[in-house]
Amino acid sequence: MSLQSDEQGVQPANPIPNKLHETRKRLDEIFRNCGDLKWFPWHYGPDMNQEALSIFFGTIAERKKVNYMKAVLQDLVTHEVGPGTDVRIENIIAHFEKHGVSEESARVVADFEASILEVLNGNLVIYFDNWDKALSFETSGMESRQITEPANESVVQGPRESTVENINKNVGLLRQRLKSSRFKLVKLNGGGETNTEVVYCYLEGRVKPDLLKEFERRIEKAKQIEILETSYIEELIQDVRFSPFPQFRYTERPDAAVASMINGKIVVLVQGTGSMLICPGLFVELLQSSEDYYQRSMYATMIRWLRVCAFFMAFTLPSAYIALTTFHSEMIPTNLLLTILDTREGIPFPAFFEALIMEFFFELLREAGIRMPRPIGSAVSIVGALVIGEAAINAGVASPIMVVVVALTGIASFAIPQYNMAIALRIIRLPLMALSAILGGFGLMFGLLIVLWHLCTLRSLGQPYLSPIQPADPSLLRDVFVRPSVKKLGRSANNRAGAG
């Protein structure tokens, strides 16, 4: 491989000292008390009077790659410096600055801070006496989780590969599926002490220029703070801070990320995070799954409508029950009303407090099931729900119909593909229950109108959140309620590309 250089004819802001002892003094100050940093001073040249210093972190550099003496000697002796030639600093400078070919991938670094960052990234850095540059060899070899099935996005039919915490592997998974020169990738580093690598990808010609420009303006904030996870990026670039609705969506599936880029989205990856952020995230997309496009159109359409029903159930079912039983009992069929009254006989709480208690227990069980070790978490949540539900009925704290309503609400929320959308419904459900308990059906309708107004005014990266429903886009509406054929999907993507 040919050598890489960070020089562009620009004087570095913080040049590397020309004398090795000055460099060593600065390195000693910076890496004081770093017990895992390996120092290897060594000599070379005709009389072994030329000095050099190799440093790397033994905890993150791979020892097989660190064979520093082999790499250096191969570059200095075997190649253009030439066997039998006196290996002097002048030969080294000429060889590397003229990009001599080497077996090991190397980079010529002129800035001192940049050389420190190379060490922190797990690379081997070599400093030479009488040369104001350093060589960086790629030796980072930290073990990472292997590519497996997605943990949070179950797969019935379709690709079963999932992203991992290694950003290079994740980009490779995207490259494998999107073999196009228009697939663009931009790297930047977070600020603070972490210097986390952040990458965003898009498909040139598909993403709208104004959308990309707005995203790049907002993502610049990432250079000023410490980034530990993808959700940090979400909070940095979101339009409305206190909206319960997610303005972006997450995925662990490379096929979903590639499909999003084809549709004009921007995908963000962060080193050390196993999920990707898709920008912008629209309301209708949060109710869809990439698996919709791996099923037959008729079945996928039916599943979409089932999710819409689940959305409204998780959103309004407890509120509707409270409003009907408290204020509008005449709207309930007589036989059903008598059954409800019979089951509620002896319950000491009104319907609102009864629902509030059961919702609290259900959410508590859900969180306990998530936080506990996976082998026992699901069993504890299921058994706990059965035991607490039965005990609450026998104790006269809750009625059987209320247990059914809360259970149906919880099951409906599990049918939402995006977990962060299900969280939004859990947050909004409580105010709607309170409004229904105070004003009945009028309170419920008032709450729904407020939510609808909020959704109509909400934006994601400046794009209308309810698009393509509001503002209406007939060319895109056909992929909202009905999953069209593959031929129509391809035509729709080409139309969007032309419009962009």
Side-chain angles (χ1 to χ4, degrees):
M1 298 180 64
S2 57
L3 297 173
Q4 301 173 357
S5 174
D6 64 352
E7 292 188 279
Q8 302 293 335
V10 179
Q11 183 68 20
N14 186 7
I16 296 174
N18 192 54
K19 296 299 181 180
L20 187 60
H21 67 88
E22 296 180 12
T23 304
R24 177 63 188 260
K25 183 178 179 180
R26 293 178 65 179
L27 291 173
D28 283 334
E29 180 65 25
I30 292 173
F31 292 114
R32 185 176 64 253
N33 295 331
C34 292
D36 57 339
L37 186 71
K38 305 299 181 182
W39 304 78
F40 288 99
W42 49 280
H43 296 78
Y44 65 96
D47 300 318
M48 300 298 287
N49 58 355
Q50 304 287 323
E51 292 183 88
L53 174 66
S54 300
I55 66 171
F56 64 92
F57 277 105
T59 48
I60 56 178
E62 187 176 344
R63 293 294 295 192
K64 292 181 180 179
K65 296 180 180 179
V66 165
N67 196 347
Y68 64 94
M69 190 60 69
K70 175 185 175 182
V72 172
L73 291 180
Q74 282 177 341
D75 285 332
L76 301 184
V77 179
T78 309
H79 296 93
E80 296 189 17
V81 174
T85 306
D86 287 344
V87 184
R88 300 180 183 276
I89 189 62
E90 295 82 7
N91 304 119
I92 297 173
I93 294 173
H95 175 73
F96 284 100
E97 289 194 339
K98 291 182 180 180
H99 306 285
V101 178
S102 63
E103 288 189 15
E104 301 291 335
S105 59
R107 184 172 179 230
V108 179
V109 183
D111 188 83
F112 187 76
E113 294 296 335
S115 70
I116 297 300
L117 186 58
E118 291 291 321
V119 177
L120 294 173
N121 284 333
N123 296 334
L124 165 71
V125 176
I126 306 176
Y127 299 91
F128 294 89
D129 193 27
N130 296 318
W131 192 23
D132 60 352
K133 294 181 178 61
L135 300 180
S136 173
F137 291 87
E138 296 180 7
T139 56
S140 179
M142 283 289 293
E143 291 294 329
S144 63
R145 181 167 59 93
Q146 297 301 308
I147 297 172
T148 57
E149 289 192 19
N152 298 321
E153 297 176 86
S154 300
V155 179
V156 176
Q157 182 175 339
R160 297 179 180 273
E161 291 177 325
S162 170
T163 52
V164 294
E165 285 70 26
N166 188 311
I167 195 170
N168 293 324
K169 288 185 179 180
N170 295 339
V171 172
L173 290 172
L174 299 180
R175 284 285 184 191
Q176 283 183 335
R177 289 169 171 79
L178 199 56
K179 301 178 179 67
S180 171
S181 59
R182 296 195 297 167
F183 176 22
K184 306 301 180 183
L185 184 148
V186 182
K187 295 184 178 181
L188 56 94
N189 283 1
E193 302 295 331
T194 59
N195 287 306
T196 305
E197 184 178 2
V198 179
V199 166
Y200 63 90
C201 317
Y202 61 92
L203 195 59
E204 191 176 48
R206 292 295 178 92
V207 63
K208 295 179 180 178
D210 57 337
L211 173 65
L212 180 61
K213 184 177 180 180
E214 178 64 18
F215 172 82
E216 290 176 338
R217 183 186 68 81
R218 299 187 188 186
I219 198 68
E220 283 294 316
K221 301 176 186 176
K223 298 180 180 179
Q224 304 169 8
I225 68 169
E226 296 174 340
I227 304 295
L228 296 177
E229 210 268 342
T230 316
S231 58
Y232 285 49
I233 303 295
E234 178 186 11
E235 289 197 32
L236 280 178
I237 65 176
Q238 64 185 356
D239 290 64
V240 181
R241 179 180 178 185
F242 294 105
S243 174
F245 290 96
Q247 295 154 57
F248 308 98
R249 57 190 176 111
Y250 292 90
T251 185
E252 296 176 339
R253 300 180 57 165
D255 58 315
V258 168
S260 299
M261 284 191 285
I262 292 174
N263 289 325
K265 307 291 185 181
I266 303 169
V267 175
V268 183
L269 303 91
V270 175
Q271 175 65 32
T273 301
S275 60
M276 297 176 284
L277 189 69
I278 299 176
C279 315
L282 305 181
F283 177 79
V284 295
E285 297 168 348
L286 295 168
L287 298 180
Q288 297 175 357
S289 170
S290 59
E291 204 163 332
D292 293 351
Y293 302 96
Y294 305 139
Q295 306 282 356
R296 294 180 60 200
S297 177
M298 183 181 298
Y299 177 74
T301 301
M302 183 190 71
I303 295 299
R304 282 190 178 180
W305 280 102
L306 187 64
R307 291 197 198 106
V308 172
C309 295
F311 173 82
F312 284 105
M313 285 179 62
F315 197 29
T316 63
L317 187 57
S319 305
Y321 173 78
I322 293 171
L324 288 174
T325 56
T326 305
F327 290 93
H328 311 290
S329 57
E330 68 279 1
M331 298 180 65
I332 305 175
T334 304
N335 291 336
L336 179 58
L337 178 60
L338 292 174
T339 301
I340 293 174
L341 292 175
D342 183 56
T343 57
R344 282 192 50 80
E345 186 176 356
I347 303 299
F349 307 110
F352 171 69
F353 288 104
E354 183 186 2
L356 200 61
I357 292 171
M358 295 309 298
E359 282 282 347
F360 174 77
F361 286 145
F362 188 87
E363 295 296 334
L364 196 62
L365 286 170
R366 184 185 345 221
E367 287 301 311
I370 293 174
R371 308 304 167 196
M372 293 184 70
R374 185 169 297 179
I376 63 174
S378 58
V380 168
S381 59
I382 293 172
V383 173
L386 294 173
V387 170
I388 290 179
E390 184 65 25
I393 294 172
N394 293 334
V397 176
S399 60
I401 189 67
M402 179 57 74
V403 174
V404 172
V405 167
V406 173
L408 285 176
T409 303
I411 293 172
S413 68
F414 292 142
I416 308 298
Q418 289 288 322
Y419 180 69
N420 47 4
M421 174 59 85
I423 293 176
L425 299 183
R426 292 157 66 182
I427 294 173
I428 299 175
R429 196 158 58 227
L430 295 178
L432 287 181
M433 289 167 55
L435 286 171
S436 299
I438 296 171
L439 299 174
F442 296 103
L444 177 58
M445 293 305 298
F446 179 70
L448 292 177
L449 286 174
I450 293 177
V451 172
L452 181 60
W453 170 81
H454 174 69
L455 291 175
C456 290
T457 57
L458 187 60
R459 291 181 172 269
S460 177
L461 282 179
Q463 307 299 307
Y465 192 61
L466 285 184
S467 176
I469 299 175
Q470 193 280 324
D473 187 344
S475 64
L476 300 179
L477 272 174
R478 58 185 173 185
D479 192 24
V480 174
F481 302 108
V482 177
R483 206 280 275 170
S485 64
V486 174
K487 183 186 296 185
K488 292 182 178 179
L489 283 172
R491 191 182 304 126
S492 176
N494 290 331
N495 291 339
R496 286 194 292 272

